Amino acid sequence: MCAWASMRQNDTYATMVHDHASQRIPDGQLLTGHVAEWGELMGLLEERRGLTGIVADPLSGTSALLAAALDETSPRSVRVNARRCADSLDLAMAIADGAIAALAPSSNAWWMGAAPPNSTAGLRVSRTLNEQGIDPKALRSGEGPGVRRLNEALELTVALAQGPLVLAIDHLGNMLANLRGTASREILGVLRAVRQQASDLDLVLVDQPQGPISEALGDAQHPMYRAGERLRVRRPTPSRIVEDLAIMKPVVKTHIALLRAAAELAAGVPVLTWQVIAMAPGNDDYPARAAAGWETLRRATAVSVRREWDLLRRVHPAAQTIVAAISLGLKPHSVSSASKTVDDGLNRLRDVGLAWQPARRTWAIADPLLSAYAREHPQPWALRRRE
């Protein structure tokens, strides 16, 4: 892109971001490091492309970005967090619960069993669903085959919307990556089928790099093949966060030196970057302030990080060794002669969002707090191998 075109693009983004961020986004923290992705996401939602797969790096800030974009572009939307779902039945109930809360809030107490069965608002919703051939009883109680309930939950959402609606399912890729057999394929097949039947329903499905949704969109044998577009949301690098500050200057008041130092310590994780800044003491030595804020954050999260380290043993037998190696700057395969074991461990860590590939043939630990713990508490072998 030529310099003139780049300047014009930055000016356009700056105007757009100021208009939106100054009204809805506190201190511009949400968009710093994600200005370009914000523009692309807004465009996709406003144009109603039907189905969009968002491929997001772990801890990239995508969830907050998506929520803000939906608030701006989609007055009628249902948001579901699949992180708390174990299977298709859980997902069906989460979608139905979200649809009731967003589209029929007066009947939410009845739906959750906190209001009498003859509640006026509940009877109204029940009548609407019965007219569409949907029996809400099984969805409310979580009974029966999960795939069938999932289809009913999507039909319930469409029936209550009675017009254009966006259903956004966050962390769906992470959930699907941990299912066995054909369960993932069946869930994506139901989503595709209902989307084809209901033209007013737009789906936004959040995946992880090399995740099941992204792979399905490119697999000619999968029901989801070419069902929609993909939007890549990368974790911002510290330099990208600083560069975006030039655009976000009207709504971000943080000093550039403090922002840069905090972003480097937090490995570009947006939420951790701003937590470091919030915990930094007040003086003019910005690198020292960031370092102090980082240490305060580490102390505040020490118990959970140690627990995360212990739980790595349950992820994969080689998980702790792999995490330690990557954190110390070693190649994962250099610590074991069993290549298949390391490959399996890396894939498992990626599936659960603990490891990722910021570049080809390069692995990194998603949580910089966990990585810092591994560096400072090296395993016995690491004391002789660390670089």
Side-chain angles (χ1 to χ4, degrees), residues 1-12:
M1 182 183 294
C2 69
W4 180 84
S6 179
M7 290 175 62
R8 284 292 302 274
Q9 185 183 55
N10 284 343
D11 288 344
T12 301

Side-chain angles (χ1 to χ4, degrees), residues 261-267 269 272-273 275-277 279-281 287-301 367-373 375-376:
E264 289 174 350
L265 289 166
V269 177
L272 296 183
T273 297
Q275 285 178 352
V276 168
I277 291 172
M279 294 179 175
R289 285 178 61 186
W294 172 250
E295 290 306 317
T296 301
L297 178 61
R298 290 195 60 194
R299 288 194 297 271
T301 58
D367 185 353
L369 293 167
L370 177 63
S371 188
Y373 179 88
R375 286 194 300 272
E376 294 188 5

Side-chain angles (χ1 to χ4, degrees), residues 73-373:
T73 62
S74 309
R76 295 177 68 80
S77 63
V78 175
R79 305 170 200 171
V80 176
N81 187 352
R83 174 174 275 160
R84 59 195 181 97
C85 301
D87 52 26
S88 57
L89 184 58
D90 275 349
L91 183 61
M93 294 181 70
I95 291 173
D97 291 350
I100 292 292
L103 305 174
S106 61
S107 64
N108 193 53
W110 165 80
W111 180 262
M112 302 303 293
N118 60 351
S119 162
T120 302
L123 291 174
R124 188 182 307 117
V125 169
S126 183
R127 184 164 51 250
T128 299
L129 298 180
N130 286 330
E131 290 173 355
Q132 301 296 321
I134 303 170
D135 181 4
K137 182 178 179 181
L139 267 177
R140 292 178 66 193
S141 58
E143 300 174 352
V147 171
R148 182 175 178 181
R149 297 289 89 84
L150 177 60
N151 191 83
E152 292 174 350
L154 293 167
E155 291 178 347
L156 175 151
T157 303
V158 173
L160 292 179
Q162 298 182 344
L165 175 79
V166 177
L167 171 61
I169 309 180
D170 200 3
H171 302 291
L172 180 62
N174 182 265
M175 170 199 160
L176 297 178
N178 290 281
L179 297 180
R180 296 182 178 180
T182 61
S184 173
R185 184 185 184 92
E186 291 172 346
I187 289 172
L188 291 176
V190 171
L191 291 170
R192 172 71 186 273
V194 174
R195 165 68 191 100
Q196 287 180 315
Q197 296 167 5
S199 59
D200 281 340
L201 177 65
D202 289 345
L203 295 176
V204 178
L205 312 177
V206 181
D207 197 13
Q208 55 197 11
Q210 300 179 332
I213 301 171
S214 183
E215 290 183 356
L217 289 171
D219 182 358
Q221 305 303 315
H222 198 284
M224 190 67 80
Y225 180 56
R226 292 186 177 179
E229 299 187 34
R230 276 173 281 195
L231 171 64
R232 188 72 168 90
V233 179
R234 300 183 183 277
R235 181 193 292 187
T237 62
S239 59
R240 168 75 185 280
I241 290 176
V242 172
E243 289 167 4
D244 277 3
L245 187 63
I247 299 173
M248 298 300 301
K249 202 71 177 255
V251 288
V252 177
K253 310 304 180 184
T254 304
H255 193 280
I256 188 171
L258 178 59
L259 181 60
R260 183 192 300 276
E264 289 174 350
L265 289 166
V269 177
V271 64
L272 296 183
T273 297
W274 292 107
Q275 285 178 352
V276 168
I277 291 172
M279 294 179 175
N283 57 60
D284 293 333
D285 188 345
Y286 296 110
R289 285 178 61 186
W294 172 250
E295 290 306 317
T296 301
L297 178 61
R298 290 195 60 194
R299 288 194 297 271
T301 58
V303 174
S304 61
V305 171
R306 286 196 298 268
R307 185 61 175 160
E308 187 178 10
W309 172 259
D310 291 339
L311 290 175
L312 285 175
R313 295 189 180 96
R314 305 298 298 173
V315 174
H316 188 272
Q320 281 190 341
T321 300
I322 292 171
V323 168
I326 296 173
S327 300
L328 292 168
L330 301 172
K331 294 184 180 301
H333 289 85
S334 69
V335 298
S336 173
S337 58
S339 180
K340 185 179 185 303
T341 298
V342 175
D343 288 339
D344 290 344
L346 287 170
N347 289 332
R348 187 64 188 141
L349 287 167
R350 180 181 60 198
D351 287 346
V352 298
L354 289 172
W356 64 301
Q357 292 184 276
R360 184 177 176 82
R361 297 183 179 178
T362 301
W363 285 91
I365 303 306
D367 185 353
L369 293 167
L370 177 63
S371 188
Y373 179 88

